[in-house]
Amino acid sequence: MTFSRRDEILNSGRAANQKMRTREALINAALELARNGHSPSIAEVAEAAKVSTATAYRYFPNPQSLWSDMATRQAGFTGGFPDLLNDLPEDVEERIERVVRECCAFQFADEVVWRGVLRATLDRWFGQVDVPEAERVPVRGVTRLEMARVALSPLRGTLSAERFERLVNAVVLVFGVEALVSTRDTSGLDPEAATETMCWAARALVRAAIAESEA
């Protein structure tokens, strides 16, 4: 390998590491601001991270993209699904309860951040309200849907494909950030009671789907 080629590779590696450090600094600054009850703009995050606003916008062109990465970091999904999905029990009710409890644990631990994520997704939806539906960019990912699908997978041999997907779609209604807001703000529950309610609802839906299929 020539010296020039070696230097090119080394410089490329240094640049990639610097970009990673800058992104991490921006996310850390945004998380700190959010935990202090502030909904930061990109410019405010840049100032807190001690980088230029122009640099920050190269990493996060809008607040929604920043909130999305913050949520990804806090949920531990950077490398894929949490490890818990690889070590679920056989009983399907226990499987979905474990997933719901895990989701509640990391969302209640950073409630301010997750409420900000929800607001960002709503802003993204309103930003496309005049765009034809077929041309809209999805405002949410499918991580929660896939988590539920994996947890409920033992029922694929019990339920028809249609009933299985209906159960998955029903279960995602009873956990996640929207359920967090409902149980906290509408029902006035504390995090522990809210978690227990979400788990009860998920297990009840599983039992109802099985009973319906058997009937």
Side-chain angles (χ1 to χ4, degrees):
M1 182 183 298
T2 64
F3 284 109
S4 59
R5 176 58 177 159
R6 184 187 64 184
D7 290 343
E8 180 183 341
I9 292 173
L10 289 174
N11 289 333
S12 176
R14 292 191 190 100
N17 289 337
Q18 181 57 50
K19 288 180 180 180
M20 185 179 299
R21 287 194 294 270
T22 301
R23 177 180 288 276
E24 288 296 301
L26 289 165
I27 294 176
N28 286 336
L31 285 168
E32 187 62 28
L33 289 169
R35 287 170 180 145
N36 290 327
H38 189 54
S39 178
S41 66
I42 300 297
E44 290 169 327
V45 171
E47 182 179 0
K50 296 181 173 55
V51 303
S52 71
T53 301
T55 296
Y57 271 109
R58 284 201 293 271
Y59 289 88
F60 301 105
N62 52 56
Q64 293 93 334
S65 62
L66 175 59
W67 282 107
S68 177
D69 271 27
M70 288 162 65
T72 299
R73 158 83 79 76
Q74 295 313 99
F77 293 146
T78 305
F81 291 140
D83 290 340
L84 75 97
L85 292 182
N86 298 321
D87 188 31
L88 291 174
E90 293 184 8
D91 181 80
V92 70
E93 287 189 40
E94 292 179 9
R95 290 168 67 92
I96 193 61
E97 178 170 341
R98 186 174 297 183
V99 167
V100 172
R101 286 190 184 279
E102 177 74 10
C103 185
C104 286
F106 63 67
Q107 290 190 333
F108 279 121
D110 267 315
E111 187 171 342
V112 172
V113 171
W114 285 94
R115 285 177 180 267
V117 170
L118 179 59
R119 177 167 58 187
T121 60
L122 292 174
D123 288 343
R124 188 179 302 175
W125 186 90
F126 279 110
Q128 303 181 90
V129 70
D130 294 326
V131 177
E133 189 166 351
E135 300 175 17
R136 294 178 186 176
V137 176
V139 299
R140 294 293 295 271
V142 296
T143 300
R144 181 173 25 154
L145 191 70
E146 291 305 316
M147 289 175 70
R149 190 171 283 127
V150 170
L152 299 171
S153 60
L155 292 178
R156 288 186 182 276
T158 302
L159 306 179
S160 67
E162 180 181 1
R163 292 188 182 204
F164 178 80
E165 286 303 313
R166 184 175 62 183
L167 174 61
V168 170
N169 291 326
V171 166
V172 298
L173 298 177
V174 300
F175 76 105
V177 65
E178 295 88 353
L180 180 153
V181 171
S182 295
T183 53
R184 295 283 277 152
D185 297 355
T186 303
S187 301
L189 303 180
D190 62 30
E192 182 178 357
T195 298
E196 295 304 323
T197 299
M198 292 184 213
C199 290
W200 179 90
R203 295 184 74 129
L205 285 168
V206 169
R207 289 194 294 271
I210 294 173
E212 182 184 67
S213 178
E214 290 175 347

